[in-house]
Amino acid sequence: MATGVPALSTLLKKTTIVDHHEVLSAANGELQRSKGDINAQRTKAVALLQLDRYDEAVHFFEEAGNALKKAAQLEHAYALYKSGNLEKAQDIVQGIDENRGALHLKAQTHYRLEEFSQAATIYRSLLEFHQVAVENEENDLRINGSATDAQLEWKKQGELVHKKKATREDLEAFETAYNAACACIARSEFSQAEFLLKKANDLCSLSDLSEDLKSDELLPIKVQQLYVLNTLGQKEEAERLASDITLKEIKELSTRQIAQINKLTASTKPYNPYLSHRIVQSTLSPPKSDRLFEFQKSLTLQNELAFDLLSSKFTGVINTTATFLSAHTSPTTQPNVNIQSVINAAAHAQNQLGKLGLTSILPLIEKRPNDVGLILTILQLYVLTNNHGSAITLLKTFFKHLGLWPSAVDQDVRFAPGLIAVMVSLYSIQGRKSHIRTELAKAASYWRHKSKNLPDLFRAAGLALLDSTSSDDCAGAGEIFETLHYQDPKDKLSAAGYVAAYATTNLTKVESTLEHLSPITRLTAGIDVDALEAAGVPNVPTAAAQNTSKKRAADGSTKPTKKRIRKSKLPKEFDPNKAPDPERWLPLRDRSSYRPKGKKGKQKAQALTQGGVSDKGAESLNIANSDGVSKPGSTVVSASSKPSKKKKSKK
């Protein structure tokens, strides 16, 4: 009797299989004999995951049924996560007991779904409160945690990031150095990002990775370096780096798509916008498992629409942006929505600026009165034409319109820090300090009642209120700086504002804080009081009162040119001993010495009266009646006795 094929469990106990292809073959052999064997099914699923065949793994879970899904929940969720079915993966992983593997997968699912605050919380708990169970797990947690912090910065949730500056630990691995650089880019700290990216490049080049893996890891670093160099204006270095990047070598299509845009913008040579548009449109879109984050998709769409505008495809841009805007409510402060409004306005204006652009865009405000992006575009055009008064009027009208709607969303837009900053800037140009104080006080009061921490806005409001002589304004400044001081006792500006607000009304309240401030003697040690008094008080004109002439100002170092006095010109035959002709100022024909040439000229000269009364004129006037007495109003011009003959026109 022939010996049967041993069971899979027996085979795995007796041998050590390193090749996952062999494991998959053994599992398939077992399933041919026993299709419902859960152990064989789970082994096959794990082997497919190890071979990065995630779509096949998902399909196998669907074929195997609920028994395998229940027995291998973590594997099923991981297969869904890697294949891009993030929502389904999250639903499954939520029901798994919180072991370390499930927590890792839950954090990664939150990360890909852009729920970065939840992901950051899980990574911190794994790093701080759980004992590390796997080798190099701590390093992986630091890498994933720093990547989550960078994404929080991109999503404008930087207040949730605990570490703002790169530490020595971040400079030990190229992954953490790269993530720290990405966080700096999100905060617009490009010089620091350039240094960290160079460090990441050096660390990756010196790592123990194989040459293929090293090349794969260096390409994203170079793509990010290219963006930073472009932003810093280092065009020549950026162009050299762009020549070293080969797009076909980038395996991730999302990174390849970003690299294509960065390479186009790095070129210093004159480019054809139509050819660039064709190149951008021909770039392959990444699959669902490698999709871009929302901020990346928004920027990529902006770049595509910008190339459309450069290619004069205005109608297409208008239709695309109008469809996008119709799917979103307004007003809103979401950048991806408002930038679409700006591009829509640019398409309507056909890339025209100044008054021509305003003429095309202003009618749109009647159709979209709540469009924040459109409002900001018109404000920018007003500022470019030095029409600050119209800009202030437009923004005040928009604020008044939002005030009529009591919904929380509309009021959040009304007191959005960005819009408040625009209004304050416009008021500053015209030197309207009281209006600045009022606007900042309203915004600070609104956000304080909503218990939202906006330290930059609160500091600006507190400083503006301190500049007032009103006791109510000083009291309001004291409340603002008191809150800021207790939130961050190390902030010297908040502490100084807190002391300044209560110094004249309640000094005992701030005495403890006053001791931690720098003494006045140290602050004024290098100031020459006598020199300041001798110099006097400067009278600094406001921006509105300054000369707005477009002419280039004269260089103060150049000396003023002296006016040259020309010599008087005298006639050639001038005799100083002879009296000049008294009629020299009269025209030649009016002088007594004038003698016309020719027969007709002499007759014409005789007919000239030169101020006298013509005899012929006297004959033509009936100046007296028969009795010799003149009557008022009886002087008329007598008509000629001969009828006038008019020349007939030829028909």
Side-chain angles (χ1 to χ4, degrees):
M1 186 175 177
T3 306
V5 179
L8 177 65
S9 58
T10 306
L11 181 64
L12 293 177
K13 287 179 181 178
K14 293 181 178 179
T15 60
T16 302
I17 302 178
V18 179
D19 190 356
H20 300 294
H21 291 281
E22 296 182 13
V23 175
L24 181 61
S25 299
N28 286 330
E30 183 69 19
L31 289 174
Q32 287 179 357
R33 292 181 305 180
S34 177
K35 188 175 181 180
D37 189 342
I38 293 294
N39 290 330
Q41 290 177 345
R42 189 168 185 175
T43 302
K44 180 178 179 179
V46 173
L48 289 172
L49 294 176
Q50 293 287 352
L51 294 171
D52 297 341
R53 293 158 63 174
Y54 305 113
D55 292 333
E56 292 184 37
V58 172
H59 183 67
F60 177 71
F61 272 106
E62 295 298 326
E63 285 184 343
N66 294 329
L68 178 61
K69 292 179 182 179
K70 187 175 181 180
Q73 287 182 315
L74 184 61
E75 291 84 349
H76 185 206
Y78 185 75
L80 290 170
Y81 161 75
K82 294 297 289 185
S83 61
N85 299 309
L86 301 176
E87 291 78 8
K88 292 182 180 180
Q90 189 178 46
D91 293 338
I92 295 173
V93 80
Q94 294 291 349
I96 304 176
D97 294 336
E98 291 193 353
N99 55 59
R100 294 193 70 81
L103 288 174
H104 274 279
L105 183 56
K106 186 182 292 186
Q108 283 296 97
T109 308
H110 282 306
Y111 180 85
R112 288 302 304 172
L113 287 172
E114 303 193 29
E115 299 170 352
F116 302 117
S117 58
Q118 294 92 320
T121 302
I122 295 174
Y123 283 132
R124 290 193 198 102
S125 65
L126 285 171
L127 194 59
E128 296 175 6
F129 304 109
H130 295 269
Q131 186 177 1
V132 176
V134 183
E135 186 180 359
N136 294 328
E137 183 184 7
E138 183 177 359
N139 186 44
D140 293 340
L141 288 172
R142 293 187 187 279
I143 293 171
N144 293 342
S146 60
T148 306
D149 289 343
Q151 292 291 350
L152 285 171
E153 295 285 1
W154 278 113
K155 209 170 183 180
K156 307 303 179 184
Q157 295 178 345
E159 67 276 4
L160 302 177
V161 178
H162 293 179
K163 186 172 61 175
K164 290 289 186 179
K165 293 183 179 181
T167 60
R168 183 174 297 178
E169 293 178 347
D170 295 329
L171 302 180
E172 293 176 355
F174 71 89
E175 296 95 339
T176 51
Y178 174 79
N179 291 334
C182 292
C184 290
I185 295 172
R187 294 191 297 266
S188 299
E189 299 172 359
F190 296 106
S191 298
Q192 182 68 14
E194 182 185 12
F195 166 76
L196 291 171
L197 288 171
K198 287 182 179 179
K199 186 67 176 179
N201 196 324
D202 295 339
L203 290 172
C204 184
S205 301
L206 298 174
S207 63
D208 297 333
L209 298 175
S210 64
E211 292 300 322
D212 292 338
L213 287 176
K214 198 177 291 186
S215 177
D216 293 342
E217 295 291 347
L218 281 173
L219 281 171
I221 297 174
K222 290 181 179 180
V223 172
Q224 202 72 289
Q225 280 182 300
L226 184 58
Y227 173 77
V228 171
L229 292 173
N230 272 332
T231 307
L232 292 174
Q234 302 178 19
K235 294 295 183 179
E236 295 181 358
E237 188 174 351
E239 193 169 14
R240 285 196 299 270
L241 181 61
S243 62
D244 294 337
I245 299 175
T246 305
L247 295 177
K248 294 182 180 179
E249 295 179 358
I250 304 176
K251 297 179 180 179
E252 296 179 351
L253 291 181
S254 59
T255 307
R256 187 187 300 180
Q257 188 175 9
I258 297 171
Q260 179 69 79
I261 298 293
N262 289 348
K263 288 194 69 172
L264 286 174
T265 56
S267 178
T268 57
K269 301 176 181 178
Y271 69 98
N272 187 337
Y274 300 96
L275 181 59
S276 300
H277 178 269
R278 182 180 177 183
I279 293 173
V280 171
Q281 294 296 327
S282 63
T283 305
L284 297 175
S285 300
K288 186 168 61 172
S289 59
D290 187 30
R291 61 186 181 184
L292 297 169
F293 291 99
E294 282 299 323
F295 79 93
Q296 291 175 324
K297 285 196 292 186
S298 177
L299 293 173
T300 303
L301 180 59
Q302 292 175 36
N303 291 327
E304 293 176 357
L305 292 174
F307 282 111
D308 288 341
L309 289 175
L310 292 173
S311 303
S312 301
K313 299 181 180 295
F314 303 119
T315 304
V317 174
I318 291 173
N319 295 333
T320 302
T321 52
T323 303
F324 183 91
L325 293 173
S326 62
H328 295 79
T329 58
S330 59
T332 180
T333 55
Q334 294 181 7
N336 61 326
V337 178
N338 290 325
I339 195 63
Q340 295 292 318
S341 300
V342 176
I343 296 173
N344 180 273
H348 276 93
Q350 297 187 0
N351 297 338
Q352 295 289 336
L353 298 176
K355 294 182 179 179
L356 293 176
L358 283 170
T359 304
S360 304
I361 296 174
L362 282 174
L364 299 177
I365 203 70
E366 298 179 0
K367 300 178 182 178
R368 290 147 49 192
N370 295 333
D371 195 330
V372 177
L374 180 60
I375 295 291
L376 292 174
T377 304
I378 297 174
L379 291 176
Q380 182 65 29
L381 291 178
Y382 275 139
V383 171
L384 290 176
T385 56
N386 290 325
N387 194 351
H388 304 108
S390 297
I392 292 174
T393 302
L394 176 63
L395 194 53
K396 287 176 68 176
T397 304
F398 179 62
F399 283 169
K400 185 177 180 180
H401 179 72
L402 292 179
L404 300 176
W405 303 92
S407 66
V409 176
D410 292 340
Q411 294 307 303
D412 286 351
V413 175
R414 161 64 181 87
F415 294 104
L419 291 177
I420 297 298
V422 172
M423 180 61 91
V424 169
S425 299
L426 291 172
Y427 281 147
S428 299
I429 293 174
Q430 295 191 341
R432 298 160 71 170
K433 293 185 178 181
S434 60
H435 292 79
I436 294 174
R437 189 161 48 246
T438 302
E439 197 63 44
L440 287 172
K442 288 180 182 179
S445 175
Y446 175 79
W447 291 113
R448 289 183 66 209
H449 281 92
K450 295 201 70 172
S451 300
K452 187 166 183 179
N453 186 23
L454 297 171
D456 293 335
L457 176 63
F458 293 158
R459 289 191 194 99
L463 292 173
L465 292 173
L466 277 179
D467 198 26
S468 173
T469 57
S470 172
S471 58
D472 295 336
D473 290 343
C474 290
E479 295 176 2
I480 292 173
F481 281 120
E482 184 176 6
T483 304
L484 291 173
H485 177 61
Y486 282 108
Q487 288 176 352
D488 186 7
K490 296 181 180 179
D491 186 8
K492 292 185 177 181
L493 189 142
S494 300
Y498 177 47
V499 171
Y502 290 105
T504 57
T505 58
N506 192 357
L507 184 59
T508 57
K509 185 177 181 178
V510 296
E511 283 182 348
S512 59
T513 306
L514 183 60
E515 296 176 356
H516 297 286
L517 295 177
S518 300
I520 297 177
T521 55
R522 184 189 303 173
L523 296 174
T524 60
I527 298 176
D528 190 348
V529 179
D530 296 333
L532 289 175
E533 289 184 351
V537 179
N539 185 14
V540 181
T542 61
Q546 291 179 355
N547 184 15
T548 58
S549 175
K550 294 183 180 180
K551 293 183 179 180
R552 182 175 60 86
D555 189 1
S557 60
T558 58
K559 297 181 180 180
T561 57
K562 295 182 179 180
K563 186 176 180 181
R564 187 178 63 177
I565 302 176
R566 296 183 178 181
K567 296 181 179 180
S568 60
K569 294 183 179 181
L570 299 175
K572 292 181 179 180
E573 299 178 356
F574 175 73
D575 187 1
N577 299 324
K578 186 178 180 180
D581 185 6
E583 295 182 352
R584 64 185 182 277
W585 308 115
L586 296 175
L588 188 62
R589 64 181 180 83
D590 292 343
R591 298 181 188 180
S592 59
S593 60
Y594 176 67
R595 296 291 182 269
K597 297 180 180 180
K599 185 176 181 181
K600 292 183 179 181
K602 293 179 180 179
Q603 291 177 356
K604 187 177 180 181
Q606 292 176 0
L608 295 176
T609 60
Q610 292 197 10
V613 179
S614 175
D615 295 337
K616 188 176 181 180
E619 293 176 358
S620 64
L621 296 177
N622 186 11
I623 59 174
N625 292 327
S626 58
D627 54 1
V629 180
S630 65
K631 294 182 180 180
S634 62
T635 304
V636 294
V637 178
S638 62
S640 176
S641 59
K642 295 182 181 181
S644 60
K645 295 182 181 181
K646 296 183 179 179
K647 188 175 182 181
K648 295 181 180 180
S649 61
K650 295 181 181 180
K651 294 184 180 179

